[in-house]
């Protein structure tokens, strides 16, 4: 009886699979839109997480952001986080990728009372990917072809 039940379950599972719907499913989505910033003062001291450059004083906002749908809550609602790696801290800024047809998008970073920077991202879109290609800081290109890495900003 156990064997008959097992055969019935396996048969039911194989019949219930519809091959046409699995072939049309999108593959993976590659979404790469963050900027890691090593923030330093003129003497070379790391400023990430210090007064004015911490989670409570910094603010990252988007110009023309994509409206969130379906009750989506981002992992980092502040649009940035401070990461500690190998004893060093850096700031990861999640860049705006704009509307689905946007070629560029702006991210405004307020460094507490220490000024504001505008990061403009040039975006490459495909069927299964959204990538930030070039990044400008206050009109000056700081990344000409994006590869995951870290930039240094002197404040």
């Amino acid at each position: 009886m156990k064997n008959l039940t097992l055969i019935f379950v396996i048969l039911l599972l194989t019949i219930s699979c519809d091959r046409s719907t699995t072939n049309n499913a999108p593959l993976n989505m590659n979404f790469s839109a963050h900027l890691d910033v090593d923030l330093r003062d003129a003497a070379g001291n790391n400023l990430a997480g210090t007064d004015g450059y911490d989670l409570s004083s910094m603010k990252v906002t988007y110009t023309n952001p994509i409206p969130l749908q379906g009750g989506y809550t981002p992992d980092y609602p502040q649009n940035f986080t401070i990461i500690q790696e190998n004893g060093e801290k850096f700031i990861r800024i999640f860049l705006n990728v704009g509307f689905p047809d946007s070629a560029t998008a702006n991210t405004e970073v307020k460094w507490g009372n220490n000024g504001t920077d505008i990061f403009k991202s040039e975006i490459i879109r495909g069927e299964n990917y959204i990538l930030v290609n070039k990044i400008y800081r206050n009109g000056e290109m700081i990344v000409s072809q994006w590869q995951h890495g870290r930039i240094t900003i002197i404040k």
Side-chain angles (χ1 to χ4, degrees):
M1 187 66 170
K2 282 184 181 180
N3 290 339
L4 186 57
T5 305
L6 183 60
I7 292 171
F8 178 73
V9 169
I10 292 173
L11 183 61
L12 184 63
L13 287 174
T14 54
I15 292 172
S16 66
C17 291
D18 182 1
R19 201 169 182 81
S20 64
T21 58
T22 56
N23 288 341
N24 294 333
L27 300 172
N28 296 321
M29 179 67 171
N30 185 1
F31 186 82
S32 181
H34 69 267
L35 177 64
D36 291 341
V37 177
D38 184 14
L39 200 60
R40 303 279 173 169
D41 63 13
N45 299 311
N46 190 332
L47 297 174
T50 63
D51 245 5
Y53 301 97
D54 59 0
L55 293 174
S56 64
S57 60
M58 284 179 55
K59 185 173 183 179
V60 176
T61 56
Y62 297 158
T63 305
N64 298 326
I66 295 175
L68 300 178
Q69 298 181 13
Y72 171 77
T73 304
D75 292 335
Y76 301 98
Q78 298 162 306
N79 302 323
F80 75 98
T81 190
I82 296 175
I83 296 177
Q84 186 160 350
E85 192 173 89
N86 300 326
E88 287 288 318
K89 289 183 181 178
F90 62 92
I91 299 169
R92 176 165 289 166
I93 300 169
F94 299 97
L95 300 169
N96 183 13
V97 293
F99 285 98
D101 58 349
S102 300
T104 62
N106 291 335
T107 303
E108 181 179 285
V109 179
K110 292 183 181 177
W111 307 101
N113 294 326
N114 302 302
T116 300
D117 285 322
I118 304 291
F119 293 93
K120 178 181 176 181
S121 309
E122 288 187 8
I123 302 155
I124 301 173
R125 298 174 190 278
E127 185 176 334
N128 295 324
Y129 61 88
I130 298 174
L131 304 173
V132 172
N133 187 35
K134 295 179 183 175
I135 302 173
Y136 300 81
R137 175 180 170 231
N138 302 325
E140 181 181 331
M141 185 184 300
I142 58 171
V143 176
S144 61
Q145 184 175 13
W146 183 244
Q147 293 181 0
H148 288 290
R150 198 177 301 165
I151 66 162
T152 300
I153 294 178
I154 307 296
K155 282 288 191 181

